[in-house]
Amino acid sequence: MKNKQNLPIWLKISVIFMIGLGIFFRFGHLDNKAIWFDEAFTFLAISGHTVTEVGQEVSNNGIVSIVALDKYQHINPDRGVNDTVRYLITSDPQHPPLYYVLARLWAQLFGDSATGVRSLSAVISLLIFPSVYWLCLELFESPVVGWVAMGLMAISPLEIFFGQDARQYGLWMVTILVSSAALLRNIRRETLLNWTIYSLTLVAGLYTHLFTVLVAIAHGIYIVFQQRFRLNKTLGNYLLATIAALFMFSPWIVVLITHISLAKKLTSHVSFFKLDNPVDLIAILLTQISRIFFDINFSSYTPGVNQSFWEIEPINYSIISGIFSLFLILYIFYVLLKKGINQIYLFLIFWGVIPSISLLLPDMILGGVRSTIFRYQLPLYLSLQIAVAYTLSIYIFSEKCWHKRIWQCVMIGFLVAGLISDVSLFKADTWWIQIGNKGVLATAKYINKFEKPLYLTSNYMPNIGELLILSHMLDSSTNILMIEDGYLPILLPETDNIFLFDDSIMMANSNNLITRFKEDKTYSLNLIDEPRIELWQVEKIQ
């Protein structure tokens, strides 16, 4: 699509207005969202401490105050960037260090509060606008598509959420867009500088998220197709640039290989949990695609907890959103076929589909929930957003007046859906993507009703994460006691306010703390009968 017409003033004003709203929603209420599991480990990383240190702090000191965990969620002046990297190497090797190093440096300048750390993601998310505009110019040679894409992404709940989340996914989206634009520029104009830019952006992506490898594979397959399977200068330059990127990433490859057993353990849930019906994988994928454009926090599906998608999701909402997504995908393919799928459009298809299929096929064949994890599908979502922008830009300037009016209304519909979603996100204290956080909030509110409560848990790693989240929510009078695997406390303090939580039961751990307490005749366990709470009250039998 080569559309070099002057941009209509109404489009410019509309997109600028949308970008203004997008900036407001990105920076508004940054402290209003509850810290969730993944973010708690971001704060741990920038503190310079490790998971082992947290476990030792709680396990070795008996009953301690929840306040003791405070230092693991704030910067320690005696620890620096090297300690943040050390944390990732020893505790979280599947997460490369670029975002976390930036977060540590940012927190030193702007504070380590929720607002201070999350503001980095908000600033990074603004880079989405020039990045997607550049990619649209390289793909379609059309500023119109670029402006429409910026308008859609400005108020998309997808970009807004990750623009407020203290994790690496906003940065990952930027690197995906920029590396893809750099690759397409090299196809048009090969220079040493352009290939160097591509190699460096690919390195930045790899040091942000390991799944950049899937994007690089999609790039490689496209280059092979685009060069018609001939080993020529372009393909050779691509291979050299990619090899150079992998060489620069090799230090973290060594880290990952050295700590591969830990990385597998920390990501085992994506293959351990299975859905009863493989068709649910497609249903979840289609439902989540609709959330790119319209999302009002209407979900309670949690992989590993709800084994059937249809038993927990609102049926009407799931059917409508799934049909919308399926229609959207089919219509985009129809538009591409109508226009003739050339090599540029093929790039958009490869870029989105290959990373998604790479996650979906193992789930279908071997079992697992990799493809249901929303943040892993970001390449697919970005490609769909650009494809929608391209489709809209074709029809909103149609020569047929009635055709033009209909598609302008469709574009307004996308924008209104995004704004409704953004208002909902703006007011919420947690979001459906933050798996299990509604339960943590409910648990904290329940425990805070009691005087000097005691919170029991085991030294299972997710339980440590739960404690880190609760350290932001529980009253300072709360005490905690972490119990090692295979043991029970000989004597608990004389109090009626003893509560027990153990997440290891989800992994079918027969030695979990709940089972051990039930088998011991000294104590009785009563499950708290409150919505979303998975908490037990412990009482000593007289």
Side-chain angles (χ1 to χ4, degrees), residues 315-342:
I315 295 296
N316 291 338
Y317 176 79
S318 300
I319 291 174
I320 292 171
S321 58
I323 291 174
F324 167 81
S325 299
L326 183 60
F327 174 79
L328 181 68
I329 293 170
L330 293 176
Y331 195 84
I332 287 171
F333 272 104
Y334 163 75
V335 171
L336 296 181
L337 286 171
K338 185 178 178 181
K339 293 291 179 180
I341 297 183
N342 59 31

Side-chain angles (χ1 to χ4, degrees), residues 424-436:
S424 179
L425 179 58
F426 184 78
K427 296 187 296 183
D429 54 7
T430 190
W431 207 243
W432 70 271
I433 305 173
Q434 298 167 324
I435 294 174

Side-chain angles (χ1 to χ4, degrees), residues 57-58 61-70 453 471 475-481:
E57 170 83 23
V58 183
N61 295 317
I63 297 175
V64 298
S65 170
I66 191 71
V67 179
L69 297 181
D70 204 46
S471 70
D475 292 340
S476 59
S477 62
T478 305
N479 291 320
I480 53 178
L481 175 61

Side-chain angles (χ1 to χ4, degrees), residues 125-146:
S125 73
L126 301 183
L127 298 177
I128 286 281
F129 304 133
S131 301
V132 73
Y133 184 78
W134 181 26
L135 179 56
C136 288
L137 286 182
E138 297 296 339
L139 269 172
F140 310 109
E141 299 182 40
S142 170
V144 172
V145 182

Side-chain angles (χ1 to χ4, degrees), residues 250-488:
S250 60
W252 204 258
I253 295 176
V254 173
V255 168
L256 190 60
I257 293 173
T258 304
H259 298 85
I260 192 65
S261 59
L262 175 60
K264 286 182 177 179
K265 180 180 178 181
L266 294 174
T267 58
S268 60
H269 60 283
V270 300
S271 57
F272 176 83
F273 295 136
K274 295 176 174 62
L275 294 170
D276 290 338
N277 185 356
V279 177
D280 287 356
L281 294 169
I282 304 297
I284 294 170
L285 182 60
L286 290 175
T287 301
Q288 290 181 347
I289 284 173
S290 70
R291 298 181 187 279
I292 305 171
F293 307 102
F294 181 69
D295 188 357
I296 52 173
N297 207 20
F298 201 13
S299 176
S300 53
Y301 169 74
T302 302
V305 176
N306 314 125
Q307 294 304 306
S308 176
F309 174 70
W310 299 106
E311 288 179 4
I312 195 69
E313 288 287 331
I315 295 296
N316 291 338
Y317 176 79
S318 300
I319 291 174
I320 292 171
S321 58
I323 291 174
F324 167 81
S325 299
L326 183 60
F327 174 79
L328 181 68
I329 293 170
L330 293 176
Y331 195 84
I332 287 171
F333 272 104
Y334 163 75
V335 171
L336 296 181
L337 286 171
K338 185 178 178 181
K339 293 291 179 180
I341 297 183
N342 59 31
Q343 292 177 345
I344 294 300
Y345 304 151
L346 204 60
F347 174 83
L348 200 58
I349 295 171
F350 283 162
W351 177 49
V353 172
I354 289 174
S356 184
I357 291 295
S358 300
L359 299 172
L360 185 60
L361 284 180
D363 287 350
M364 298 286 284
I365 298 170
L366 304 174
V369 292
R370 305 164 189 84
S371 58
T372 70
I373 299 176
F374 189 74
R375 56 193 181 272
Y376 291 176
Q377 295 282 4
L378 288 180
L380 173 65
Y381 302 152
L382 290 173
S383 66
L384 283 172
Q385 285 179 303
I386 292 175
V388 169
Y390 168 70
T391 303
L392 289 172
S393 66
I394 290 174
Y395 292 113
I396 60 176
F397 298 107
S398 173
E399 295 179 358
K400 297 178 181 179
C401 186
W402 66 271
H403 213 184
K404 180 190 300 185
R405 293 287 181 264
I406 290 175
W407 281 95
Q408 286 175 352
C409 289
V410 171
M411 182 175 179
I412 292 172
F414 275 110
L415 298 180
V416 170
L419 290 175
I420 292 173
S421 304
D422 297 342
V423 172
S424 179
L425 179 58
F426 184 78
K427 296 187 296 183
D429 54 7
T430 190
W431 207 243
W432 70 271
I433 305 173
Q434 298 167 324
I435 294 174
N437 217 40
K438 290 182 180 179
V440 178
L441 280 169
T443 297
K445 289 177 182 177
Y446 183 83
I447 293 177
N448 285 338
K449 296 177 184 178
F450 298 88
E451 290 187 15
K452 297 182 179 179
L454 176 64
Y455 182 89
L456 303 179
T457 191
S458 71
N459 57 355
Y460 178 58
M461 197 279 287
N463 291 337
I464 295 176
E466 192 95 356
L467 278 177
L468 292 175
I469 304 171
L470 289 171
S471 70
H472 295 269
M473 303 175 185
L474 291 176
D475 292 340
S476 59
S477 62
T478 305
N479 291 320
I480 53 178
L481 175 61
M482 183 172 287
I483 304 168
E484 294 186 16
D485 284 340
Y487 294 92
L488 283 177

Side-chain angles (χ1 to χ4, degrees), residues 134 138 178-203 219 223 233-234 237-238 240-242 244-245 248:
W134 181 26
E138 297 296 339
V178 173
S179 64
S180 299
L183 179 69
L184 292 172
R185 182 171 181 80
N186 275 301
I187 293 174
R188 286 198 305 108
R189 185 183 177 190
E190 291 192 66
T191 66
L192 178 60
L193 176 61
N194 287 342
W195 279 115
T196 301
I197 292 172
Y198 172 71
S199 187
L200 291 175
T201 56
L202 192 58
V203 170
H219 287 171
I223 286 289
K233 179 183 176 182
T234 300
N237 286 337
Y238 163 77
L240 287 174
T242 303
M248 286 183 277

